[in-house]
Amino acid sequence: MRVLVVEDHVALADRIAEGLRDAGMAVDAVYDGQAALDQAGVVDYDVIVLDRDLPVVHGDRVCRTLVRAQTPSRILMLTAASDVDDRVDGLELGADDYLGKPFAFHELIARLRALDRRGPGASPIVSRGDLVVDRARHRVSRRGHPLTLTRKEFGVLERLAGADGAVVSAEELLEHVWDANIDPFSNIVAVTVARLRRKLGEPPLIETIVGVGYRM
């Protein structure tokens, strides 16, 4: 899952981002509303964690702008204003969920994963032949035997399995599984897919389409 954290308190934004990375997500962080709009304009995030009281461009305006532009990203508003009226206002702006500060970090993670599962073709459990990918619990098994994958290997496999046989480009995998710190000219996608081939065993469940992408 690729997540954008938008929070003007830099230390808090960085702590949230680091915690989400520890949970296996690819995370970018920005600190004002204009930066959020700029970033969302170039990356199709799965979920945006949006603080409401932002400098430069207010979080309400950011939310309205993204919704009107039909941005595919789910939006979770995260703010200290958490009474009923504030929650209603946030949802009426077009946010998909609302979480008040302070919050339990495991609840934030659970809400983000729930939002991600609302996307098209995003069933919590995806089966492809004898391979089962449990997106909610981050578990993978083949022929009933659990497989141990790294976070990035799981992210790539989750994306490919959820594509239901469609070709997924290396660029799309790079965009959704890694964050903005990755070198776009890196061969990390090919390396990760090669590791997955070895771990999944024979016959290979990932077919390489040279120069195009990958598919299950």
Side-chain angles (χ1 to χ4, degrees):
M1 190 194 321
R2 184 80 180 266
V3 179
L4 177 64
V5 174
V6 189
E7 165 63 60
D8 62 320
H9 294 285
V10 176
L12 176 59
D14 291 346
R15 285 199 301 272
I16 293 173
E18 188 61 33
L20 297 181
R21 292 187 188 108
D22 288 342
M25 303 178 194
V27 186
D28 300 322
V30 295
Y31 313 112
D32 66 68
Q34 185 59 57
L37 292 173
D38 293 343
Q39 195 70 16
V42 296
V43 178
D44 288 336
Y45 289 96
D46 298 299
V47 184
I48 297 174
V49 179
L50 180 65
D51 184 44
R52 194 168 182 184
D53 189 16
L54 291 171
V56 187
V57 178
H58 194 274
D60 289 359
R61 183 178 170 190
V62 172
C63 185
R64 281 195 299 267
T65 301
L66 294 176
V67 170
R68 288 172 181 169
Q70 298 183 331
T71 302
S73 310
R74 304 287 180 173
I75 299 173
L76 184 150
M77 276 196 160
L78 186 67
T79 176
S82 58
D83 61 34
V84 173
D85 288 340
D86 287 314
R87 291 197 298 272
V88 170
D89 287 345
L91 295 172
E92 288 186 343
L93 287 168
D96 298 280
D97 200 358
Y98 198 108
L99 186 61
K101 302 175 187 176
F103 57 89
F105 206 83
H106 64 274
E107 181 181 4
L108 173 61
I109 292 172
R111 285 174 180 262
L112 291 178
R113 287 178 175 163
L115 286 175
D116 185 44
R117 290 196 297 270
R118 293 183 194 175
S123 171
I125 297 180
V126 180
S127 297
R128 296 288 178 262
D130 56 13
L131 181 73
V132 178
V133 181
D134 187 334
R135 303 176 70 247
R137 296 178 178 82
H138 276 224
R139 295 174 184 170
V140 178
S141 63
R142 187 178 185 197
R143 298 172 184 151
H145 300 290
L147 301 176
T148 301
L149 304 182
T150 67
R151 292 169 184 165
K152 298 306 182 187
E153 289 167 355
F154 182 90
V156 168
L157 181 60
E158 178 184 27
R159 204 82 194 174
L160 293 175
D164 196 21
V167 172
V168 179
S169 69
E171 290 77 13
E172 182 179 344
L173 290 173
L174 196 66
E175 180 173 298
H176 286 275
V177 181
W178 283 268
D179 59 30
N181 295 317
I182 192 68
D183 180 358
F185 300 104
S186 168
N187 68 342
I188 190 65
V189 172
V191 170
T192 303
V193 169
R195 290 203 307 261
L196 267 176
R197 283 175 170 273
R198 292 194 295 269
K199 290 187 177 183
L200 294 176
E202 295 296 334
L205 294 179
I206 298 177
E207 300 176 2
T208 304
I209 311 301
V210 178
V212 178
Y214 306 91
R215 67 183 176 191
M216 295 289 299

